[in-house]
Amino acid sequence: MRQRAKVIPLAYGTVLEVGLGTGLNLPFYNASNVKKVWGLDPSLEMIGRAREKARSVNFEVELIISPGEEIPLDSQSVDTVVVTYTLCTILEVKHAIKEMARVLKPSGELIFCEHGAAPDVSVRRFQNFINPVWKSVSGGCHLNRDIPELIANGDLRIKGLQATYIPGWRPASFIYWGTAKLTASR
């Protein structure tokens, strides 16, 4: 929750949150900077659980049942895309990141906070070893995704990248967070 509290208040304007889940991020948005949040999640159950939190915030929230690979919004229609602890589970993650870039306005920003590949050789080796079993028992979560590389290969340029271990099981606790803008070539 401390990581969410760091990144979510950076969102502004019209926001698309990919992987809304139960709406854990909703209380962290700065209502004076956010006009509307589209909350996208493929799970009807999760969206149902997010409804209550959506009613308790002081900005418009529209819930969308759809995977990150199929964002049903117009191109260049959002100011901010938010993704937290979601890129690990998206099946076609490269396509989903390109979709996020597609819906961003030219001046827009991606805000991310994700766990991923650790810098320590021993931890990364263990992540790679356990990942096939881990993803089958944890809802498709990949422990070893290279988050900065995935974002950079998705028509985005990382502006502010921070990374560290947070308390917890080391193979799942190396966190990347920051912002990214559209590449100039797009």
Side-chain angles (χ1 to χ4, degrees), residues 142-153:
H142 292 74
L143 293 171
N144 60 350
R145 287 194 168 160
D146 186 333
I147 300 304
E149 181 181 304
L150 287 168
I151 291 170
N153 289 331

Side-chain angles (χ1 to χ4, degrees), residues 8-175:
I8 300 306
L10 301 174
Y12 59 91
T14 55
V15 178
L16 167 64
E17 182 174 332
V18 176
L20 178 72
T22 62
L24 287 175
N25 290 337
L26 290 174
F28 295 105
Y29 285 99
N30 182 340
S32 62
N33 292 338
V34 171
K35 180 181 174 185
K36 176 179 184 172
V37 173
W38 282 290
L40 183 130
D41 201 280
S43 169
L44 180 59
E45 180 184 345
M46 293 292 187
I47 289 286
R49 293 174 64 192
R51 272 198 178 87
E52 189 63 34
K53 287 186 184 95
R55 287 188 201 107
S56 69
V57 296
N58 294 326
F59 49 86
E60 183 183 356
V61 178
E62 185 175 331
L63 305 174
I64 303 169
I65 300 169
S66 183
E69 299 94 334
E70 300 172 21
I71 299 173
L73 297 177
D74 292 337
S75 296
Q76 300 182 10
S77 61
V78 299
D79 298 299
T80 310
V81 173
V82 170
V83 61
T84 60
Y85 306 103
T86 299
L87 294 179
C88 65
T89 60
I90 297 176
L91 187 59
E92 295 178 43
V93 68
K94 291 177 183 178
H95 181 71
I97 292 171
K98 287 199 180 274
E99 273 289 280
M100 293 176 212
R102 179 188 64 78
V103 300
L104 272 176
K105 292 178 181 176
S107 61
E109 229 173 11
L110 170 75
I111 297 170
F112 62 93
C113 182
E114 296 286 338
H115 73 87
D120 303 293
V121 174
S122 62
V123 176
R124 188 177 285 205
R125 189 177 297 130
F126 185 74
Q127 286 176 319
N128 293 337
F129 173 75
I130 197 170
N131 197 64
V133 173
W134 179 259
K135 68 182 181 183
S136 69
V137 297
S138 63
C141 174
H142 292 74
L143 293 171
N144 60 350
R145 287 194 168 160
D146 186 333
I147 300 304
E149 181 181 304
L150 287 168
I151 291 170
N153 289 331
D155 297 332
L156 295 159
R157 175 183 40 84
I158 294 176
K159 280 181 35 186
L161 176 65
Q162 296 183 59
T164 193
Y165 284 101
I166 60 172
W169 184 52
R170 283 181 77 80
S173 65
F174 191 77
I175 306 297

